[in-house]
Amino acid sequence: MASQSTPRLAILDPFTAWRTNMSRLPKCLVVSAFALWVASVGAQTTYPSRPIRLIVPAPAGGPSDTAARALTKGMSAGLGQEVFVENRPGGNAGIGAGAVLTAAPDGYTLLFALAANAGLPHLSKASPYRSLTEFSPIAAIGGNTQCLVVPPSVPAKTLQEFAGYAKASTKPLMRGSNNVAEDMVATEVTRALGFTLDRVSYKGAPQMLPDLLEGRIQAAVLPVGASLPHVQAGRLVMLGCSMAERIPALATVPTLAESGVAAAPLITAHFVLGPPRVPAEIIDRLAAAVREAAQTAEFKQVMDRLLIVGSARSPAQTQELIQQAEAQYMRFARETGASID
């Protein structure tokens, strides 16, 4: 009589069992799941183990770039690894954002998004993303107050005077712009006061300023940090700013509402974001580093000089602020039909 062998139980190590189960899924899902598993394991043990790049979708030298560099200095100290800025201007801040959207979700490529990045999908079909909510929210710090400025060659000291000058001009006046936040403020002004400006596109404020200072373009909406030194030196005239109320450093400059522009103040912020699907452990590590960096005296001094206000926000608060900013741009696009395409 033949002996019967006792069935042997197959004992698989966890990775082999995981791989066996994954073999039953479509290949694309397996690759994504494996990438997330590797990133998560790495986050628990070694992150960060190499330098981290923070992509700024604006040129070097502007207020957003200055704020980002101040932030990375504090983050580098807190993380024990260098965090460095890489400038990717152009495409109304979309080029830099697109580079981060497709980066690996490992925490080594981040985006220092502008308020304009929240509006881009709603004003341009060329946007590489449909919403900033596609990115992984890490933190938010204060944003740029946007102000309409003109060179002294323009005979206007108020928005009302500028509107009258534009209406009487025999040829269209030109306005410099490098992102949709500036376009939104300018459109609200021209729509409320009943005049038009021809838009001239630039990569950033540093590229725009020479033409503005020399009067080759007649107006621009610029972050207060970029325009204030020239206003103080008498090379530009500040006509109005998109803010809820006057601030001490701009005590003589009216808000847009005081000048007859009833639109709500522009929601502004700089958002620190990662690519989609960054593991929670990495998000928490980075959020803590931003929070600590934003509390340093050196960072606060830079923000004070740029007139940027607002403390660092948590990932959840950042996501909520993104949604609020996008809702503002959606309303603007729906009500005005504005587009930059």
Side-chain angles (χ1 to χ4, degrees), residues 1 38 96 199 209 223 250 260-261 273 279 285 293 298 304-305:
M1 177 173 158
V38 170
R199 180 181 185 270
L209 277 167
L250 301 175
V261 182
L273 309 174
R285 185 89 166 88
E298 185 174 356
D304 288 344
R305 176 165 53 84

Side-chain angles (χ1 to χ4, degrees), residues 10-303:
I11 301 176
L12 302 180
D13 64 86
F15 178 76
T16 303
W18 181 87
R19 184 177 59 186
T20 301
N21 291 332
M22 289 299 101
S23 67
R24 300 169 185 168
L25 297 174
K27 185 176 180 180
C28 62
L29 293 180
V30 173
V31 172
S32 297
F34 183 72
L36 288 174
W37 178 79
V38 170
S40 179
V41 171
Q44 296 171 19
T45 56
T46 61
Y47 181 83
S49 60
R50 65 178 191 271
I52 299 166
R53 62 173 177 161
L54 180 65
I55 292 182
V56 177
S64 294
D65 173 72
T66 302
R69 292 178 188 275
L71 186 67
T72 57
K73 187 171 183 179
M75 290 179 66
S76 297
L79 292 169
Q81 284 286 344
E82 180 189 9
V83 183
F84 64 93
V85 165
E86 179 180 315
N87 297 96
R88 291 276 193 98
N92 290 286
I95 292 176
V100 176
L101 184 68
T102 57
D106 55 11
Y108 291 100
T109 301
L110 308 176
L111 175 66
F112 193 70
L114 318 179
N117 285 113
L120 187 60
H122 309 292
L123 296 174
S124 174
K125 295 179 181 178
S127 174
Y129 52 93
R130 292 169 295 180
S131 168
L132 273 190
T133 58
E134 296 176 33
F135 295 80
S136 299
I138 296 169
I141 61 172
N144 296 311
T145 296
Q146 302 288 350
C147 301
L148 196 148
V149 294
V150 298
S153 56
V154 172
K157 300 298 182 183
T158 67
L159 280 176
Q160 297 288 350
E161 291 178 358
F162 182 60
Y165 175 69
K167 293 175 186 178
S169 177
T170 57
K171 59 181 181 180
L173 302 185
M174 293 184 290
R175 171 184 67 87
S177 174
N178 73 95
N179 66 56
V180 298
E182 298 166 4
D183 291 333
M184 180 173 173
V185 172
T187 301
E188 294 284 17
V189 170
T190 56
R191 185 171 66 141
L193 301 183
F195 67 101
T196 59
L197 296 170
D198 284 357
R199 180 181 185 270
V200 182
S201 180
Y202 293 85
K203 281 190 174 182
Q207 289 71 31
M208 184 196 308
L209 277 167
D211 285 346
L212 181 63
L213 294 172
E214 294 298 324
R216 290 186 288 271
I217 58 175
Q218 290 73 50
V221 174
L222 285 172
V224 64
S227 56
L228 186 58
H230 301 287
V231 172
Q232 293 170 333
R235 294 189 293 266
L236 288 176
V237 179
M238 191 174 287
L239 304 183
C241 295
S242 179
M243 51 191 177
E245 56 186 24
R246 297 193 192 196
I247 57 179
L250 301 175
T252 62
V253 180
T255 67
L256 296 186
E258 290 174 321
S259 302
V261 182
L266 179 68
I267 294 174
T268 62
H270 291 103
F271 305 106
V272 181
L273 309 174
R277 300 180 301 277
V278 174
E281 296 87 351
I282 293 179
I283 295 290
D284 292 342
R285 185 89 166 88
L286 289 168
V290 171
R291 185 170 59 252
E292 292 169 4
Q295 293 172 349
T296 63
E298 185 174 356
F299 180 80
K300 290 179 179 179
Q301 288 174 358
V302 173
M303 297 300 101

